[in-house]
Amino acid sequence: MFERSRKGERALLLQPRWVGDSAVTRNVEEADEFGELARSAGATVVGNLAARIDKPNPKFFVGTGKAEELKAQRAALDADLILVNHALSPVQERNLEKYTECRVVDRTGLILDIFAQRARSHEGKLQVELAQLKHMSTRLVRGWTHLERQRGGAIGLRGPGETQLELDRRLLAARMKQLEQRLEKVETQRNTAKRARRRNSVPTAALVGYTNAGKSTLFNKITGAGVYAADQLFATLDPTLRRIDGLACGPVLLADTVGFIRDLPHDLVAAFKSTLAETRDADILLHVVDAADPEHDRRVEEVQRVLEEIGAQDVPQIFVYNKIDKVEGARPRSESVDGGRTARVWVSAVTGSGLDLLREALTTALQRDRVHRWLALPEHAGRLRARLIAAGFVSAERPAERGWEIQIDAPRALIEPLFGLPDGDGDWLRAQFAHVEAAAAPKLPARKSQRPKAGAESRVSR
């Protein structure tokens, strides 16, 4: 992993001001956030330069006049680094570096630097290095031009040999392939642990939210864990799970996950897919919101956008408005919206006020969104029984006079896709869960001779 500490580096920030954006405060707020990002990376911010942009310049991203002003201000402030609050193309980054005679790092590169500094676990380091290499692979330049004319082959010594640029690309490709293989093994181990948790019928809740919303502090307060928590961006990268006891719904596993941010690099999201899977596979999400942040509504929109990108937009959520101790007149309370399907709870992770309301909301949500009941399966329903066991939905089983009696314990959101099973199995399951209070189970319809379609079979296997 390329851990780049920027401690002591003097950074000049280039901040775009987008024309036509209806919210002028959005530009100001994003500029403040980028300054905090720079300081989180260890850099010392010595200056800010705003750039009015209608349309990005393909050469410098900014216009030639602003590029000249940037060069002059960099020299006047003796800055070691220029940080740009936007993703740059490799050509734009290279042209700015050549013109200003200074190292240029865009928003994506800065976030990757912070992640490299924060990663502690083996998996986290592999994920960050993979994202860094993908980002770097598009930014290789011919730094070793004196090697371009080396001769290749002993017969006739004709033709140029392998250039340094080609060698770097080949080495990067080999390293990325190696990292992807290692991450596949880690993901297999993580999936094995998830199946074990399902077999033990322990539901999972995941803390999500914008970075620095107080997720780790809340995690420590609820579980009594001692994970690292600090008032800084991306203090947590590696997911941590702890068990919560004492709830009316039984034990619950709580996962502390990485925080989100505006314009989170796609390479980083792809590299962290196994870590973010803890969010996608959770029974419920605790969406932590900084109640003291005046832009918290927009933060919520950014988090929802990332959740949609990783396929977790349909997981039930409880909105936890944290840091009410910093809001004048705020008090702990809870409310239900959307007909009781979504809860909002106002708490303070520092003082502990409102956490009892959060536990009640979590218990209510898990009891409502989780199926826990016995089913009587006839003896010819062996394939359905095998599918339910393979999916980890069966918590107990006992033989019956004709067939089996199995205890289903799983999130309703995972059970409902099974209603599309072929050969009448899906219709039978739908009837079972539509009549929870029925004393006797209806008979399964007779099996059809034809085989189910491949598409239906693939949906079941998941």
Side-chain angles (χ1 to χ4, degrees), residues 390-402:
F393 297 156
V394 179
S395 59
E397 181 182 14
R398 60 195 180 200
E401 183 177 352
R402 290 189 175 182

Side-chain angles (χ1 to χ4, degrees), residues 171-187:
L171 292 176
L172 282 179
R175 178 59 177 168
M176 285 191 290
K177 183 178 181 180
Q178 184 184 43
L179 291 174
E180 289 171 349
Q181 291 173 345
R182 291 184 180 180
L183 286 173
E184 285 178 1
K185 293 182 180 179
V186 175
E187 187 174 2

Side-chain angles (χ1 to χ4, degrees), residues 32-350:
D32 293 340
E33 179 188 80
F34 190 63
E36 188 177 353
L37 270 176
R39 286 185 285 272
S40 296
T44 302
V45 178
V46 296
N48 276 276
L49 180 62
R52 182 179 182 273
I53 296 178
D54 298 283
K55 183 179 179 181
N57 186 298
K59 183 178 181 180
F60 291 129
F61 176 70
V62 294
T64 54
K66 184 60 66 173
E68 185 176 349
E69 182 181 352
L70 179 66
K71 179 180 180 180
Q73 188 165 345
R74 199 280 312 169
L77 297 174
D78 193 23
D80 307 313
L81 184 69
I82 295 176
L83 300 177
V84 183
N85 190 13
H86 197 274
L88 299 179
S89 69
V91 173
Q92 290 169 341
E93 184 176 310
R94 188 158 58 247
N95 289 339
L96 273 178
E97 285 187 350
K98 185 176 180 180
Y99 186 76
T100 61
E101 299 177 349
C102 180
R103 180 89 170 98
V104 175
V105 177
D106 66 353
R107 181 184 178 88
T108 300
L110 180 61
I111 292 177
L112 289 175
D113 282 348
I114 297 175
F115 269 61
Q117 295 177 32
R118 302 280 194 271
R120 292 294 178 266
S121 70
H122 173 66
E123 181 184 7
K125 291 178 180 179
L126 291 178
Q127 290 167 330
V128 174
E129 183 178 354
L130 178 60
Q132 285 178 317
L133 290 177
K134 288 182 177 179
H135 183 68
M136 184 187 304
S137 63
T138 61
R139 284 162 167 76
L140 294 177
V141 295
R142 299 178 183 270
W144 300 87
T145 55
H146 62 284
L147 296 179
E148 290 183 3
R149 300 184 63 83
Q150 61 183 341
R151 298 295 180 179
I155 303 176
L157 298 177
R158 293 174 180 169
E162 185 177 37
T163 64
Q164 186 66 32
L165 179 62
E166 293 167 340
L167 178 61
D168 290 343
R169 284 175 175 167
R170 181 165 55 82
L171 292 176
L172 282 179
R175 178 59 177 168
M176 285 191 290
K177 183 178 181 180
Q178 184 184 43
L179 291 174
E180 289 171 349
Q181 291 173 345
R182 291 184 180 180
L183 286 173
E184 285 178 1
K185 293 182 180 179
V186 175
E187 187 174 2
T188 301
Q189 296 170 354
R190 188 180 293 276
N191 290 335
T192 302
K194 288 177 185 176
R195 287 194 294 269
R197 292 200 298 267
R198 281 185 177 178
R199 286 195 298 269
N200 295 331
S201 303
V202 180
T204 303
L207 290 168
V208 299
Y210 210 78
T211 181
N212 205 25
K215 296 183 297 299
S216 296
T217 304
L218 182 62
F219 181 82
N220 289 336
K221 200 71 173 182
I222 295 177
T223 64
V227 301
Y228 179 72
D231 185 15
Q232 63 183 17
L233 303 179
F234 302 117
T236 301
L237 289 187
D238 307 311
T240 306
L241 287 94
R242 292 292 186 274
R243 177 170 167 148
I244 306 176
D245 293 308
L247 300 180
C249 61
V252 177
L253 282 178
L254 183 63
D256 187 19
T257 62
V258 62
F260 302 147
I261 197 171
R262 178 181 61 86
D263 297 333
L264 194 64
H266 294 288
D267 288 341
L268 203 57
V269 174
F272 273 69
K273 62 180 181 180
S274 60
T275 299
L276 295 174
E278 294 289 352
T279 300
R280 186 179 60 251
D281 297 336
D283 299 307
I284 193 167
L285 302 180
L286 301 183
H287 187 157
V288 183
V289 183
D290 185 353
D293 187 351
E295 299 294 329
H296 61 76
D297 288 337
R298 182 132 34 84
R299 306 292 197 206
V300 170
E301 294 177 0
E302 295 290 345
V303 172
Q304 297 290 9
R305 189 175 295 112
V306 178
L307 289 176
E308 184 175 356
E309 185 175 351
I310 65 176
Q313 69 274 14
D314 295 328
V315 182
Q317 297 184 36
I318 296 177
F319 288 89
V320 184
Y321 288 84
N322 190 25
K323 302 184 182 182
I324 61 172
D325 54 296
K326 296 183 178 181
V327 181
E328 185 177 357
R331 58 181 180 80
R333 69 184 192 276
S334 65
E335 65 179 23
S336 298
V337 295
D338 300 334
R341 297 292 298 177
T342 306
R344 294 176 180 173
V345 186
W346 279 260
V347 304
S348 171
V350 174

